[in-house]
Amino acid sequence: MAVEELAAPPRLGPLYRSAALTAVRRKALGGGGPSGALPDTEMRVREVAVDREHLARYDRVCGFRLTDELPATYPHILAFPLAVALMARPDFPLALVGLVHVANRIEVHRPLTADDRFELRVHAEDLREHERGRQVDLVAEALVDGETVWTGRSVYLRRERKSGGSDRRPEPTPPPEGGALWRVTPRVGTDYADVSGDHNPIHTSRVGARLLGFPTPIAHGMWSKARCLAALEGRLPAAYAVDVAFKLPVPLPSTVTFTATQAGSEHWRFGLHGAKSGKPHLTGEVIHRS
């Protein structure tokens, strides 16, 4: 695998603009983009330091306590620009514009702090068919002194019309009883965009959301995951894996119900549902790593 080493994580704004231009060119040529293999390239950045002020802002936006210990989701926003840089390449087989983040798995191999200096690595793998189109995994790693201390796997779906495919949405079900009610305001979209750098207008602009088929902006999926983990803060093991599936978007504004149940001393299942509709927004699981 070829290695493309960058001096620093790239800014997301220019990457999104480049991806939009690429999408326009592909449409003008009458195609959705290359249909071949994924780029055999790994993006790397060495010596990434944590800005404590930025960490504190992230903690506030997502509901974590203000400490030097990194939330499990924090390295994701450090590595995310590398993933976007890879997906924005002209030879990436799925157009970045329109990709949907449908699942995310994070593994924390040991507790991480703001004193750690990371080497970040990101590559794409497992381009595969799906009943609604094609999926791909973006795999990120954070290393400290050559040791992998954190990994993240994000699954993205490119919706494409296919015969026999199903676009059926999850059936509404009443949310589990006894959950916490959270009011999710439009500030969630703009505040998380500011701290993550991900200013996709689907999260921050009513006009942008409507252009992409949504009546209102929607919350970032990784904010939803982070907010759920913040609710479990202090009850998670030192090393663990946390899987989530993103079901239906969380409209801004809306009220959601958070529920969590413990299965064993260090195993949690949790979810977000619409407070009135019962529609599932997110389901997740925390598993202890020995």
Side-chain angles (χ1 to χ4, degrees):
M1 181 177 290
V3 173
E4 183 173 335
E5 191 159 325
L6 305 177
R11 292 191 301 120
L12 289 171
L15 290 175
Y16 281 134
R17 288 192 289 273
S18 174
L21 290 173
T22 298
V24 170
R25 294 190 195 101
R26 289 175 175 178
K27 187 174 181 179
L29 293 173
S35 58
L38 294 165
D40 189 27
T41 302
E42 182 175 75
M43 312 292 289
R44 292 186 183 180
V45 176
R46 299 180 186 272
E47 289 297 315
V48 176
V50 174
D51 181 327
R52 281 180 167 81
E53 182 179 343
H54 181 263
L55 173 62
R57 288 172 51 216
Y58 178 86
D59 287 342
R60 291 188 183 98
V61 169
C62 298
F64 293 102
R65 293 177 299 195
L66 300 183
T67 72
D68 270 1
E69 185 168 326
L70 303 188
T73 47
Y74 187 76
H76 173 86
I77 66 169
L78 300 180
F80 184 63
L82 297 180
V84 175
L86 192 57
M87 292 187 287
R89 289 166 53 121
D91 61 344
F92 197 78
L94 305 179
L96 174 60
V97 177
L99 280 183
V100 181
H101 193 184
V102 295
N104 177 268
R105 176 180 176 87
I106 285 172
E107 296 182 57
V108 178
H109 301 273
R110 68 161 175 80
L112 309 176
T113 74
D115 291 325
D116 287 316
R117 297 292 183 270
F118 300 104
E119 177 183 340
L120 298 176
R121 301 178 180 180
V122 176
H123 70 275
E125 66 182 35
D126 196 14
L127 179 64
R128 58 199 181 273
E129 295 297 315
H130 184 273
E131 64 178 4
R132 289 181 292 168
R134 286 183 290 171
Q135 286 186 335
V136 66
D137 293 356
L138 270 292
V139 181
E141 293 180 288
L143 297 85
V144 176
D145 297 328
E147 174 194 3
T148 300
V149 295
W150 178 95
T151 56
R153 179 179 294 267
S154 292
V155 182
Y156 291 93
L157 169 68
R158 177 70 186 182
R159 290 195 175 101
E160 299 166 346
R161 291 288 180 185
K162 286 187 174 290
S163 60
S166 170
D167 201 28
R168 185 165 54 90
R169 289 177 175 267
E171 292 292 335
T173 57
E177 296 181 0
L181 290 178
W182 295 345
R183 183 62 177 168
V184 188
T185 71
R187 285 277 314 257
V188 164
T190 54
D191 288 353
Y192 188 84
D194 287 341
V195 78
S196 68
D198 182 5
H199 288 274
N200 187 328
I202 199 172
H203 304 298
T204 60
S205 163
R206 185 176 293 270
V207 173
R210 285 178 174 171
L211 288 173
L212 294 169
F214 295 93
T216 68
I218 60 175
H220 295 74
M222 289 304 293
W223 174 85
S224 299
K225 179 172 184 175
R227 183 66 185 87
C228 290
L229 289 180
L232 296 174
E233 199 169 20
R235 291 175 283 179
L236 299 177
Y240 61 93
V242 52
D243 282 290
V244 299
F246 302 115
K247 301 294 187 178
L248 295 173
V250 176
L252 300 176
S254 63
T255 301
V256 297
T257 300
F258 169 75
T259 56
T261 57
Q262 196 167 10
S265 60
E266 295 176 316
H267 185 185
W268 291 86
R269 291 188 179 93
F270 59 92
L272 281 183
H273 292 77
K276 292 183 178 179
S277 68
K279 292 180 179 179
H281 296 300
L282 174 152
T283 59
E285 185 175 28
V286 173
I287 303 169
H288 174 250
R289 286 180 54 92
S290 57

